[in-house]
Amino acid sequence: MEHGKILNEKPQTRNPELGTRNRPPLIDVQGLSVGFRNGRDEVVVVRDVSFRIREGETVALVGESGCGKSVTALTLARLLPEPPAFHPTGVIFFRGREVLQMSSAELRAIRGGQIAYVFQDPATALNPVFRIGFQIEEAVRAHRHHVDSRQEALRLLALVGLSDAEACLRAYPHELSGGMQQRIVIAVALACRPKLLIADEPTTALDVTIQAQILDLLKRLQNELGMAVLLITHNLGLVADVAHRLNVIYAGSVVESGAVEDVLTAPAHPYTKALLGVVPRLGSTSERMQGIKGMVPSPSNRPAGCPFAPRCPRVDDACRRTMPSTQTAGGVDHQVRCCHPLKEKS
Amino acid sequence: MSQISSREPALLGVSDLVVEFPVEGHRRLRAVDGVSLTVGANEIVGLVGESGCGKTTTGNAIVGLVPATSGTIRFDGREMERGTAAEKRQLCCDVQMVFQDPMGSLNPRLPVGDAVFETLTVHRNRLGLTTREARQSRVTEIFDMVGLGADFIPRYPHELSGGQRQRVGIARALAVRPRLLIADEPVSALDVSVQVQILNLLKDLSQELSFACLFIAHDLAVVRYMCDRTLVMYLGEVVEEACSDILFRSPSHPYTQALLSAVPDVDKGLAARGKASNRIILRGEVPSRLNPVSGCPFHPRCPAAVDRCQSEKPDVADLGEGHLSCCHFSR
C-alpha cells in the first residue's frame, strides 16, 4: 500500500487540531493583490490579502459572492490566465519557495502535484468525453512515473469510498450521480498526494445528505494523508464543522482571521458579526434576523476607506477616509482589520 | 396525510396527488406519489427534501404547470381541474408563483415594470384595473412595497442584482393580489445577506397582504425560519409533517433525523468541536425513480431498517398535535 507508506513517513495525529499551531507554514501569503484588465478598465479584485496555512490544517476562506475568494484560491497555483489578470503583487511562499517567481516548468510541477483543486461543480470539472478511468490515470501519470496508473486509480477509488471501482473506471461522467462525480474529482485531486488541497465550494452543488458524506470523506482523508485543506465557502455552518482557522474576506480584503472558535464566538469585525446574524440556524426560534443593509460593492466601485464602511453600523469619518490596518483582537492569532473592532463577546 | 387543518376549511387542499412523466421505453416515472397536503389561510407551509424528491413538481402541479395524473387539488373548496374557463382564470389570479432563478423567469428584453404591468393587463377586469393609469399606479405601488422604488420600473433584468430581480419576481406575483403564493426555492440562488432580506420581505408581506404561502426549499434552516408548518418529502412521498417547532426539535422519521443531522449549522458545529462526530451519515444515494422501491421508500438507506420495512409500506402514524410520520417505528 503506497498510501500506507506515506502514513509511516510522518507522525500521524488522529486529531489534526492538536499540534497544528506549532507546525511550519506550508503556504504563506503576504500582501497578495490580484487585478484584471477589462478593456481600458483596471480592476483590483483582491487587495493586500495575507494568510498562512500550516501542514495538516484546514483553513476556511469565507465571504459572499464577488468578494475574491475564488480569485485568491486560483492565484495560489497561478491558475489565472495573464492577461486578463495582472501579474499578482505580494509574495506567496509555498514550502519556502516563491510561487510568483516560478518558471512555467516549476509551476507545472506544483500544480496538481503539490497543490490540487476541487471545484464546486463536479459536472464541469470532469471532461464529458473521456471515461473516468482515463481521467484519473492521466492525473497519476502526469506527476508520478513508475507507478502502475491502473492500480493506482483503483486504489484511489477505494480511498474515496466508491465500491464498484472497475465499473466506475469504465463509466463516463454523465453516468454517475453528482455525489459520485464529486468523489471522482476528489480522487483526481488526490492522485498525486498533494500537500495542499484547495476545495472551492466543494459541496454547494450537492444535497445535504451527500454533502455530509463528502465532508466526512474529506475529514477522513485529511487525517489519513496529513494534507492541508483550504476550504472556500460561504457557509459558516460548514466552517464551524470542519475548519481549524478562518479568514473572513470582504470586498477583496481579509477583514478578520483567527481560530474558528474565537472568530465565531467573539467576532471582532462588524461584518463577521453581521454575517453570523444572517445565517439561519436550525435551533433558532422564530426570532427575526436583521439583514445587512446595502450590497457588497463591486470590485470596480469600492469605497476609498474601509470597504465595509457604507454598510457598517459603527462607521465614522476615519473609516471612510483610510483603509484600517490589521490589529490583534483578543485570542491567539486572532486578527481584525477594523478601526473600531467589537470588544464584547457576542 | 394532512389532518391538521380539518377543523377549519383549508385554502389549499391537495389529496393523493400523483404526477407521472412518460420516459423512453414506454415507461412512466412517478415523480410525485400520493402527496396530500393542506395550506390554511395566512399559513406559511414549508415543503423540504433533497433534489429529485418531487417538491418542485408538486408545486408545479398545484398551479397547473404540469398535469396531475391523479388526485385532487382543491382551492377554497373548489376543485381546480373541474372549473369553467373563467373560474380557471380566476384561479390564475388567486394562486401565483415565485421561481428560483429570477433571471430565467424574467424576460430579458422586457423592462421589469412592463413584466409586472403585463400580468395586471391580463387580469385587469378581475382586479378592477381597467384603465392604463390605474395599472401603472398599481405597478408603482407594488414596486414600492417590495422595496424597489419607482426608478427601477424602466430597467431591464440584467441591470439588477440577484436580490433585486427576486424582488421583481415577488412584485409580479403579488401585483394581482393572490391568496396563495407558491414560492419555489426563492432564495437558494442568493447570498446569505440578501437571502435574509428576501425572507423578511416575504414574511412581512404575507402578514400585511394576508396571503398564504407554500414555501418549497431544500435548506432546512431557511424553512425553520420561515414556516409555521413543515412537510418533509422523500422519493415523491411526504414522510413527515408537523408544525416547525416540533419537527425541528423532535423529528420522528429516520430520514428527517438524518437530514437534520446532516445540515452544517454554526451552533451545532461549535458545540461539537473537539468531540467525536455524532452525525448520521446516510449510506448511498437516493434511488432512481424508474425502479420503484418495495415497502418503505427510505428502507435502502435507513439506519434503523428491519425486514418488515422492505416488504410492508408503513402507514401514517399520528403522533398528536398534527405531527404525522410515515414510519413503522414512529409512535
Side-chain angles (χ1 to χ4, degrees):
Chain A
M1 274 290 285
E2 273 195 68
H3 279 300
K5 228 192 277 168
I6 1 177
L7 295 190
N8 298 336
E9 275 169 18
K10 68 170 70 149
Q12 192 200 354
T13 39
R14 285 308 298 168
N15 183 357
E17 253 169 279
L18 301 171
T20 49
R21 236 164 222 174
N22 302 321
R23 294 191 196 167
L26 180 72
I27 192 160
D28 193 347
V29 179
Q30 292 167 14
L32 181 72
S33 294
V34 191
F36 293 89
R37 183 175 286 124
N38 178 14
R40 254 181 241 160
D41 299 332
E42 291 177 1
V43 180
V44 177
V45 174
V46 171
R47 271 196 302 191
D48 193 18
V49 162
S50 304
F51 63 92
R52 52 177 59 172
I53 305 171
R54 296 185 180 85
E55 282 181 23
E57 195 179 38
T58 300
V59 174
L61 201 56
V62 180
E64 294 177 83
S65 35
C67 279
K69 311 187 288 289
S70 294
V71 169
T72 307
L74 290 170
T75 308
L76 296 187
R78 299 275 306 283
L79 286 179
L80 288 172
E82 301 168 15
F86 298 153
H87 188 85
T89 56
V91 282
I92 302 172
F93 283 111
F94 179 68
R95 305 179 87 193
R97 294 167 62 211
E98 231 292 40
V99 174
L100 296 183
Q101 309 298 333
M102 282 183 184
S103 68
S104 46
E106 286 173 305
L107 283 172
R108 214 176 306 127
I110 66 159
R111 287 174 186 155
Q114 305 199 15
I115 302 181
Y117 285 83
V118 172
F119 293 104
Q120 174 174 355
D121 185 3
T124 53
L126 294 168
N127 190 326
V129 302
F130 290 108
R131 292 179 197 273
I132 297 298
F134 174 82
Q135 302 193 42
I136 300 178
E137 288 178 48
E138 187 185 29
V140 176
R141 280 197 300 266
H143 293 276
R144 295 167 64 192
H145 315 290
H146 322 297
V147 170
D148 182 349
S149 59
R150 191 76 184 177
Q151 287 306 315
E152 188 60 22
L154 287 170
R155 192 157 51 227
L156 285 164
L157 287 181
L159 191 69
V160 296
L162 287 171
S163 46
D164 194 0
E166 288 283 355
C168 265
L169 288 184
R170 279 194 304 276
Y172 285 98
H174 74 268
E175 296 175 88
L176 305 175
S177 68
M180 284 167 90
Q181 286 175 352
Q182 195 62 298
R183 284 169 194 263
I184 301 289
V185 171
I186 292 172
V188 172
L190 297 180
C192 301
R193 308 155 172 172
K195 294 279 176 234
L196 173 64
L197 183 73
I198 298 177
D200 191 348
E201 304 268 11
T203 57
T204 310
L206 306 174
D207 273 318
V208 274
T209 60
I210 307 300
Q211 170 175 316
Q213 291 175 359
I214 296 289
L215 289 179
D216 194 49
L217 171 72
L218 278 176
K219 270 192 201 169
R220 179 170 65 79
L221 291 173
Q222 188 183 22
N223 264 345
E224 285 177 16
L225 309 177
M227 63 186 173
V229 176
L230 177 64
L231 176 73
I232 295 168
T233 181
H234 64 271
N235 187 336
L236 283 173
L238 211 66
V239 173
D241 200 0
V242 301
H244 305 140
R245 291 175 49 78
L246 158 67
N247 294 288
V248 182
I249 191 165
Y250 183 78
S253 306
V254 172
V255 294
E256 184 164 6
S257 64
V260 168
E261 297 87 341
D262 296 343
V263 177
L264 294 189
T265 51
H269 199 285
Y271 176 64
T272 316
K273 186 167 188 228
L275 202 57
L276 273 166
V278 297
V279 177
R281 314 279 178 102
L282 279 183
S284 77
T285 51
S286 47
E287 200 177 301
R288 190 181 171 85
M289 292 189 288
Q290 292 302 323
I292 313 176
K293 59 176 184 175
M295 283 185 298
V296 181
S298 84
S300 53
N301 208 356
R302 284 184 187 148
C306 172
F308 190 56
R311 304 173 78 187
C312 186
R314 298 164 69 88
V315 65
D316 67 7
D317 283 344
C319 306
R320 293 195 190 92
R321 262 196 319 272
T322 50
M323 179 79 176
S325 56
T326 305
Q327 53 175 297
T328 307
V332 186
D333 275 355
H334 187 175
Q335 305 216 297
V336 61
R337 192 163 205 167
C338 178
C339 301
H340 311 289
L342 302 153
K343 293 268 167 16
E344 77 280 16
K345 251 185 140 57
S346 75
Chain B
M1 65 191 279
S2 189
Q3 297 164 4
I4 186 163
S5 306
S6 52
R7 279 156 263 134
E8 48 185 296
L11 184 66
L12 175 77
V14 175
S15 59
D16 284 320
L17 178 71
V18 174
V19 181
E20 289 183 337
F21 296 108
V23 287
E24 56 182 307
H26 300 287
R27 290 191 294 175
R28 299 182 73 75
L29 185 146
R30 190 169 274 216
V32 177
D33 193 1
V35 164
S36 300
L37 62 90
T38 57
V39 180
N42 296 342
E43 196 183 22
I44 302 182
V45 176
L47 196 57
V48 285
E50 293 179 271
S51 46
C53 73
K55 53 191 191 307
T56 293
T57 308
T58 304
N60 286 348
I62 291 169
V63 291
L65 286 176
V66 295
T69 308
S70 67
T72 52
I73 302 164
R74 284 170 189 278
F75 182 78
D76 213 8
R78 282 166 301 163
E79 218 171 297
M80 282 173 130
E81 282 287 296
R82 296 260 169 83
T84 61
E87 278 173 351
K88 279 184 180 170
R89 276 197 296 276
Q90 178 63 44
L91 272 177
C92 281
C93 208
D94 284 339
V95 184
Q96 282 286 322
M97 193 146 183
V98 174
F99 297 92
Q100 171 172 6
D101 176 14
M103 196 63 195
S105 54
L106 290 170
N107 185 342
R109 299 196 171 210
L110 204 62
V112 292
D114 289 9
V116 178
F117 189 83
E118 201 174 43
T119 55
L120 291 173
T121 310
V122 170
H123 294 293
R124 60 187 178 274
N125 293 327
R126 271 175 291 279
L127 295 165
L129 298 170
T130 43
T131 64
R132 217 183 147 74
E133 291 68 38
R135 295 198 290 276
Q136 252 150 8
S137 74
R138 174 71 183 154
V139 171
T140 317
E141 185 190 0
I142 197 79
F143 265 68
D144 203 43
M145 220 175 255
V146 299
L148 280 179
D151 48 334
F152 280 90
I153 291 171
R155 297 203 198 168
Y156 286 89
H158 72 264
E159 298 176 86
L160 272 53
S161 72
Q164 289 165 346
R165 271 181 224 136
Q166 197 55 288
R167 285 176 194 264
V168 174
I170 292 170
R172 182 174 59 177
L174 297 183
V176 295
R177 300 195 180 93
R179 294 160 68 197
L180 173 68
L181 188 72
I182 314 269
D184 187 1
E185 301 267 14
V187 295
S188 56
L190 306 174
D191 260 325
V192 273
S193 68
V194 184
Q195 179 175 303
V196 171
Q197 295 168 359
I198 298 293
L199 292 177
N200 283 343
L201 176 72
L202 271 176
K203 247 185 163 176
D204 295 346
L205 289 178
S206 76
Q207 291 283 318
E208 209 175 301
L209 308 175
S210 64
F211 58 85
C213 182
L214 181 65
F215 189 88
I216 301 171
H218 70 278
D219 187 332
L220 286 139
V222 165
V223 169
R224 167 89 170 116
Y225 182 63
M226 280 299 285
C227 302
D228 308 318
R229 200 149 54 81
T230 302
L231 285 78
V232 181
M233 277 186 84
Y234 186 77
L235 269 188
E237 298 179 31
V238 176
V239 295
E240 187 163 6
E241 166 182 356
C243 85
S244 300
D245 281 339
I246 295 175
L247 188 96
F248 285 86
R249 212 179 324 113
S250 47
S252 161
H253 196 282
Y255 177 64
T256 315
Q257 291 169 356
L259 207 57
L260 279 172
S261 106
V263 179
D265 183 66
V266 177
D267 305 318
K268 219 167 58 181
L270 285 176
R273 290 185 75 80
K275 293 182 205 154
S277 163
N278 57 357
R279 167 166 291 168
I280 308 167
I281 308 269
L282 289 179
R283 293 165 291 177
E285 310 199 4
V286 182
S288 158
R289 306 295 276 288
L290 286 169
N291 313 311
V293 180
S294 66
C296 170
F298 186 55
H299 87 260
R301 300 177 78 197
C302 183
V306 296
D307 289 347
R308 184 179 167 208
C309 303
Q310 202 173 329
S311 53
E312 197 185 319
K313 196 169 178 111
D315 292 326
V316 175
D318 189 345
L319 308 175
E321 295 181 77
H323 188 172
L324 307 172
S325 172
C326 209
C327 175
H328 288 307
F329 299 102
S330 286
R331 62 193 77 250

